[in-house]
Amino acid sequence: MNAPNQSGWKPGTPVQDHNAMSGPDTVTGNRALMLEEPLLFEIGHVETTGVDLPEPSGATTRLGGMERAAAIGLPGLSEPETVRHYTRLSRQNYAIDLGLFPLGSCTMKHNPRLNEKVARMPGFADVHPLQPVQTVPGALEVINELAHWLIELTGMHGVAMSPKAGAHGELCGILCIRAALEARGDARKVVLVPESAHGTNPATAAFAGYEVEDIPATPEGRVDLEALKARLGPDVAAVMITNPNTCGLFERDMKAISDAVHAAGGFVYCDGANFNAIVGKVRPGDLGVDAMHINLHKTFSTPHGGGGPGSGPVVLSEALSPFGPLPFTARTTDGVVHLVEEENAADYGHVQAFGRMTAFHGQMGMFTRALTYILSHGADGLKQVAEDAVLNANYILRSLEDVLDAPFGPSGPCMHEALFSDDGFAEGLSTLDLAKALIDEGYHPMTMYFPLVVHGAMLVEPTETESKAALDQFIMALRSVAERAKAGDETMKTAPHYAPRRRLDETQAARKPVLAWNDPNMA
Ligand SMILES: *Cc1c(COP(=O)(O)O)cnc(C)c1O
């Protein structure tokens, strides 16, 4: 059973160079409380199961000769083995419950436990999407109430609740725009996307069948309004703009951009993933936005990344609302919230829906959490969220700009994220080396090499849920690795030195991913 395994580690052999935490090798491969863990297939055995059932006797098959002839080779493990496997793996990872997560644009903030408590209430947690609709009036109330607050906070006209992530919401918004253009017989082909856009924006436009064209950024990191205006014309379906943008800056010309796009017959899509920087302060509807997704898993604190699914409702302007997808909820004059589906859409005058985004109604667990977050903060609390997120980011920007180049630092305060570049690093050391060294200091790295408009970019988003003490410790860590990068500390090139794994071949992993386990004994 001691076949070399595909996690790179052979049971019972000392761990080699891939886990080079300094010190002598151990026979188990474990390093004190950090336990090595092979793949589930390598520790489980076909002949083992977590439960003991007596062999069935006298049972006759009804599969008519289609029964399985050989073992399917799934690993069998007992309950404690299974629990330990996943617990050990989880300890090799980083999590928002372990420490500050500076990943810019991802808004990794604390997930309040109150949200979890409410989401676990049986009346919410145990509903099934195929349950008769008259048995779930409470769930419909929650969806409708959240929809109301999203419309209220954004100053928009309608909202599609079903998209399951930001990128899914972008697709929903662009499909609304396409439906609106088709309804007026307008075959526009081009979507304009500024250089500072999130990568999902051009991907969405291309996926929806549009040609994507870049709009340059100004030296201050904002959309070049004149270049945008010059490109507008009868072939432009929409402009997709992130605001605040991925340089961490507010697009001050947003209203002028919207007015110009509308005058040219196009629509304005706003990527609202960074809404946490402006919630309670600015209503995108007032800026002329036609569609904007909201990442409940960012702005409204629902768990994401390894911790949970996304949810990306899309708020829509009056011009786009008639094209919004089914289903949605509506409160009738009798005060009851109804679910509007294909069969009753005409009763609600909603006959131009472009279709559906999902089989069911969206991410119910995230709706419950997001509504809990909104109601527990209240209007004043949400405004403070934005203020504190911006304050924290500016604290980081100003505390580090003497050691790290901040390309847009001189042009004023940032929004909720601080952007640095690798300018000034010693020859041969890169943003990647700094990020790896930061892992040794116990932090998940910041977003790297994004946005593309800045060389060796490092985008830090602390969020509003970090205390000053936590920010000070992070600043100390980042300051020290920045100083080492400037001084040319060669040991950074082989960092991380203390992580369970060191430098993995990321290119190889992306080009030739090994996604299936092959039993070495069967080869
Ligand atoms: C996170 C993010 C997205 C995509 O959202 P997902 O939920 O990950 O699909 C789009 N744009 C920006 C600016 C983002 O930060």
Side-chain angles (χ1 to χ4, degrees), residues 244-245 247-250 277-278 389-394 413-418:
N245 70 22
C247 296
L249 303 174
F250 190 74
I278 56 172
V390 171
L391 181 65
N392 281 1
N394 279 283
C414 60
M415 294 298 287
H416 61 304
E417 40 199 10

Side-chain angles (χ1 to χ4, degrees), residues 105-106 165-168 170 198 200-201 242 246 271 273-274 293 295 297-298:
S105 212
C106 294
H168 204 211
E170 287 174 33
H198 194 263
T200 48
N201 296 184
T242 307
T246 55
D271 182 328
N274 299 332
H293 72 265
N295 301 56
H297 48 291
K298 294 179 181 172

